[in-house]
Each structure stands twice: as C-alpha cells, then as structure tokens.
Amino acid sequence: MEKNHEKSLAANKLMIDLIDKYLLGGEISNTLISHLSLYFLTKFHKSMLSFRLLVVSGFYEDASIILRTMLESTITLLYISKSPEEEAERFVDYKSISDHKLLQFMDEYYSGHSIKSEQREQIEQAYDTKKEKFRKKTQWSNKSLFDMAEEVDMTYWYKMMYPFDSSFVHSNINAASGFMIEDMEGLVVAVGPQAFNATSMISKATELARIILYTGAKNFELETDTLEVVCKNVKSLIDKEISFKHMKE
C-alpha cells in the first residue's frame, strides 16, 4: 500500500505536518471560536493519523468510517464559523443537555450510583436554563448535518461521502460488498486487510484538511500564506499519482 501510494501519502503527510505547525506554532486569539477551532483541529489531526494507519494497513472500510468523522468535523466547524458569536456559544451550551441526558440514564439504569446533591442541582439548573434553546434535544444546532452542509456550501461533499461511508458505520446492505464477494467460484469472504486503490480516498482526506485548516487559521487570526503553498504541493503530488495510475490502466 505504501509503495503504490507513495505520492498521495506524501501529500497526506504534508497536511498532517502543517496541522501540527498551526496547533503548536504559537499564540492564538483568545476567543471562544478560536478555542473551538483548536478542539476541532486537534480532533481532525488525530483522525487523520488514524485514517493513515488504516489505509496503509489495508483496512478500507474502517478508514472510510474515520473519513466520515473528518467530514463531520469539517462541516461542523464551518457551520459554527459562519456565525461564531451565536453558534459557538450554542455548541458549548449543548453540554447542559448532554449532562442532563446522562444523569437520566444513570438514574434509570444505575439507581445505586452516588452523585452529590450539589452536582445534581447544578446539572438540573443548567438544563432548565438552556433547554429552551434546543428544540431538538438530540442536535446541538437544531439541524441535521445535511442542513448544516447546505448552509456552508458542503452539500456536494456530504452527498459524495456521508451516505456511502455511513454504510460501514451502520453495517447495512450497502457495506456487504466490502466483506462478501460473489465471483465465478462462488461466495468469497474478504477476511482481514486487503490491498485497494486508496488514492481517491487519500485525496479527499487532504482536501478536507485544507478546508478545515484554512477555517481554523482564519478563526485563530493567523496567516494562511504557508497553507496555500503547501496545498499547491499537495495537489501536484496527488495529480501525479492519479496520472500515473491512469497511464498504467
């Protein structure tokens, strides 16, 4: 896998290293949107490292699951960044809903658990204060990921990736072809890691990295000149690998 995808993996590494630099390179603006951007970029960076390990190890389906997570992180940060004053606070305030749900779950299934009355009161009070803000108690934004994607011009990305990659998360019939194959000799089960053409998948990961990193840099109030230079090199590497594969075919 590493030999067959040398250029796209090199491009992937360039983006990982660049995220490193933005995360560790200095002070950022002291704002809520800047802090949330730091969270999302850190999460994305870890997902990108996990994605790379799965790809080079031959685990296509599991890499697709991580890629879906990377898309969700990107869409969410873009959506928050569109109206940071309102949406950043809403994102954080949803913790009061999550904490209350957890408390209800513990009360229902672990009745013997001990929680200090002071802590319980704080959770209940925070929930009562914030609950009217969230019409749908299952979604912090009161919108689906698709609706958020539409508002930040990521509809194509959502339709291209999310439903397909979700099939590996939910183990539905669309995912079956990755594990069981009908050929001339009958039913074949794909057990363990398998070699596959990962160039397209890696290119999607690097482009998502560009989008979320550019958004984060803007929220950090940092320059993006270095990002633009690196992205040109990334595109060149991936284009060369795609052209090479087409020539071989």
Side-chain angles (χ1 to χ4, degrees), residues 16 23 30 40 46 61 80 84 93 99 105-106 127 135 145 151 163 217 240 248:
I16 290 173
L23 289 176
N30 187 26
F40 277 105
K46 185 171 285 189
E61 295 81 14
I80 294 173
D93 284 347
D99 287 346
F105 174 82
M106 295 294 289
Y127 176 77
R135 186 178 70 259
L145 187 67
E151 292 197 25
K240 287 177 182 177
K248 287 180 67 177

Side-chain angles (χ1 to χ4, degrees), residues 4-209:
N4 291 336
H5 300 88
E6 182 180 355
K7 287 183 172 57
S8 60
L9 285 172
N12 180 263
K13 183 66 164 53
L14 284 174
M15 294 306 297
I16 290 173
D17 290 345
L18 188 59
I19 295 176
D20 272 338
K21 289 180 181 178
Y22 274 94
L23 289 176
L24 305 174
E27 292 186 9
I28 60 174
S29 55
N30 187 26
T31 61
L32 181 55
I33 185 60
S34 183
H35 295 168
L36 284 181
S37 298
L38 192 63
Y39 156 64
F40 277 105
L41 277 174
T42 303
K43 184 177 187 296
F44 188 96
H45 179 259
K46 185 171 285 189
S47 294
M48 202 165 183
L49 290 170
S50 301
F51 168 82
R52 183 186 181 91
L53 286 173
L54 289 166
V55 167
V56 298
S57 300
F59 291 100
Y60 169 75
E61 295 81 14
D62 297 279
S64 295
I65 293 172
I66 300 297
L67 191 58
R68 189 191 87 146
T69 299
M70 293 160 67
L71 173 64
E72 188 168 348
S73 294
T74 303
I75 291 173
T76 303
L77 182 58
L78 282 169
Y79 181 81
I80 294 173
S81 302
K82 185 172 67 73
S83 304
E85 294 80 7
E86 176 184 352
E87 299 303 337
E89 183 178 326
R90 176 185 289 276
F91 182 84
V92 173
D93 284 347
Y94 187 73
K95 188 176 186 302
S96 63
I97 308 299
S98 298
D99 287 346
H100 190 259
K101 286 181 179 180
L102 178 59
L103 179 61
Q104 289 181 315
F105 174 82
M106 295 294 289
D107 286 344
E108 182 176 0
Y109 293 102
Y110 299 92
S111 56
H113 78 91
S114 60
I115 179 172
K116 294 180 179 179
S117 58
E118 181 181 345
Q119 187 179 1
R120 178 182 290 274
E121 186 178 335
Q122 288 175 347
I123 293 172
E124 295 285 2
Q125 186 176 3
Y127 176 77
D128 289 339
T129 303
K130 305 293 184 182
K131 64 182 179 181
E132 297 303 323
K133 200 172 188 178
F134 302 96
R135 186 178 70 259
K136 296 181 180 180
K137 299 298 186 286
T138 56
Q139 295 165 323
W140 72 269
S141 65
N142 288 324
K143 297 176 182 179
S144 67
L145 187 67
F146 175 76
D147 291 336
M148 288 193 287
E150 278 195 314
E151 292 197 25
V152 293
D153 297 323
M154 290 288 284
T155 306
Y156 170 77
W157 277 90
Y158 180 96
K159 290 183 176 180
M160 173 181 63
M161 291 174 54
Y162 201 80
F164 176 75
D165 290 342
S166 293
S167 66
F168 298 116
V169 177
H170 304 302
S171 301
N172 61 32
I173 191 60
N174 292 327
S177 61
F179 301 92
M180 303 176 71
I181 305 164
E182 188 80 31
D183 65 9
M184 297 291 291
E185 299 179 1
L187 189 64
V188 177
V189 181
V191 179
Q194 309 284 322
F196 64 94
N197 186 351
T199 304
S200 176
M201 174 182 281
I202 296 170
S203 71
K204 291 172 184 173
T206 55
E207 179 60 13
L208 286 175

